[in-house]
Amino acid sequence: VVIPSYNSEKWIAKCLSSLVKQETAIPYEIIVVDSSKDSTPEIVKKQFPSVRLVRRATQTYPGAGRNIGVEEAKGSIIAFLDSDCVAHPSWIEAAVTSINKGYSIVGGSVRNANPRTILSIADYLLTFNEFLPGMPQREVSFMPTCNFICKKEVFYTIGGFPPDLLAGEDTLFNFKAAQQYKLLFNPDIRVGHHNRETWRAFFKHHYTFGKHSALLRKKVALPGSYFAKY
């Protein structure tokens, strides 16, 4: 399990608690690639000694963090989780079962882990409306990397994540992956995502996501490139 982390002190303990309590006999390791300026590394070291912490002195973007984690990982199957997510107790079991059924890349559903405000609900629906828990199992062309599992050899065949993108690195990875492999969405592979609860965080995230999505589409012929060009 690979988790990229930057200033994650608010959620990292909940994330890692959900991972160390997985209900499975499958052996697994947890790797956090962290470049935080807050207390995240101290929380990991003190509360989760079994977790492997890989520290970077300067901010590491999510794609680069995932790439580093894969390089450090011993397993032949890589499961990606974000630091603001919590995994269902059967997350690893469901993920590996789907991989063993013949798919090289699988992902799952995302529930709202903090449905306390209209803003957090709006943030959740804008981001994950295609991957709600009640949706059917199906093959897709994109899955969010907060709940994303693939074989290590396939990860390297695709070329990993672009390390220099603040946002959109998952879009490019999925685009390349879908050209070579079938991507399975299985709603039984479940995680919860903590969403933004302030206007400042909400607008900053979606502005950044939109900006980098457009910049990426000016360089790569992704769906929507026509609109980004003009």
Side-chain angles (χ1 to χ4, degrees):
V1 182
V2 173
I3 306 165
S5 168
Y6 180 71
N7 291 348
S8 307
E9 63 182 7
K10 185 176 181 180
W11 304 119
I12 194 66
K14 291 184 178 181
C15 174
L16 295 178
S17 292
S18 73
L19 290 173
V20 298
K21 298 176 182 177
Q22 286 290 294
E23 297 173 357
T24 182
I26 300 168
Y28 65 98
E29 59 181 344
I30 305 168
I31 300 171
V32 175
V33 181
D34 181 74
S35 56
S36 298
K37 297 178 181 178
D38 63 9
S39 62
T40 299
E42 286 72 27
I43 294 172
V44 176
K45 291 177 183 176
K46 292 179 180 179
Q47 298 184 30
F48 304 94
S50 64
V51 172
R52 185 173 181 184
L53 179 65
V54 180
R55 283 283 292 155
R56 288 294 183 267
T58 56
Q59 182 179 357
T60 303
Y61 288 158
R66 295 188 190 102
N67 293 344
I68 293 168
V70 174
E71 292 174 3
E72 298 286 339
K74 300 175 183 177
S76 60
I77 297 174
I78 307 296
F80 296 105
L81 187 70
D82 283 355
S83 59
D84 55 3
C85 291
V86 290
H88 186 274
S90 65
W91 182 62
I92 287 177
E93 190 75 26
V96 174
T97 297
S98 291
I99 289 287
N100 289 339
K101 286 183 178 179
Y103 284 89
S104 296
I105 303 174
V106 301
S109 60
V110 183
R111 66 174 179 82
N112 190 348
N114 59 328
R116 294 186 292 266
T117 67
I118 294 296
L119 194 59
S120 67
I121 294 171
D123 188 39
Y124 167 68
L125 292 176
L126 277 171
T127 308
F128 301 111
N129 59 82
E130 297 180 75
F131 309 99
L132 304 182
M135 290 184 168
Q137 179 172 303
R138 64 195 189 277
E139 292 181 0
V140 295
S141 59
F142 173 86
M143 290 180 292
T145 42
C146 68
N147 186 6
F148 192 87
I149 303 94
C150 70
K151 293 181 179 179
K152 184 190 282 188
E153 60 181 352
V154 169
F155 179 86
Y156 283 124
T157 298
I158 295 169
F161 291 97
D164 55 348
L165 294 179
L166 179 58
E169 80 291 340
D170 53 349
T171 301
L172 187 54
F173 184 91
N174 275 272
F175 178 71
K176 292 180 179 179
Q179 294 177 324
Q180 305 177 58
Y181 302 95
K182 293 180 179 180
L183 281 61
L184 177 70
F185 168 78
N186 180 354
D188 292 334
I189 306 171
R190 291 173 281 175
V191 305
H193 183 271
H194 292 96
N195 303 285
R196 294 151 196 88
E197 297 182 303
T198 67
W199 286 107
R200 180 182 179 87
F202 177 87
F203 282 120
K204 181 180 180 181
H205 169 74
H206 289 285
Y207 173 81
T208 300
F209 182 80
K211 176 181 178 180
H212 285 268
S213 292
L215 292 174
L216 181 60
R217 282 166 174 78
K218 288 184 177 182
K219 297 179 180 180
V220 183
L222 295 168
S225 293
Y226 179 87
F227 296 101
K229 182 178 180 180
Y230 293 102

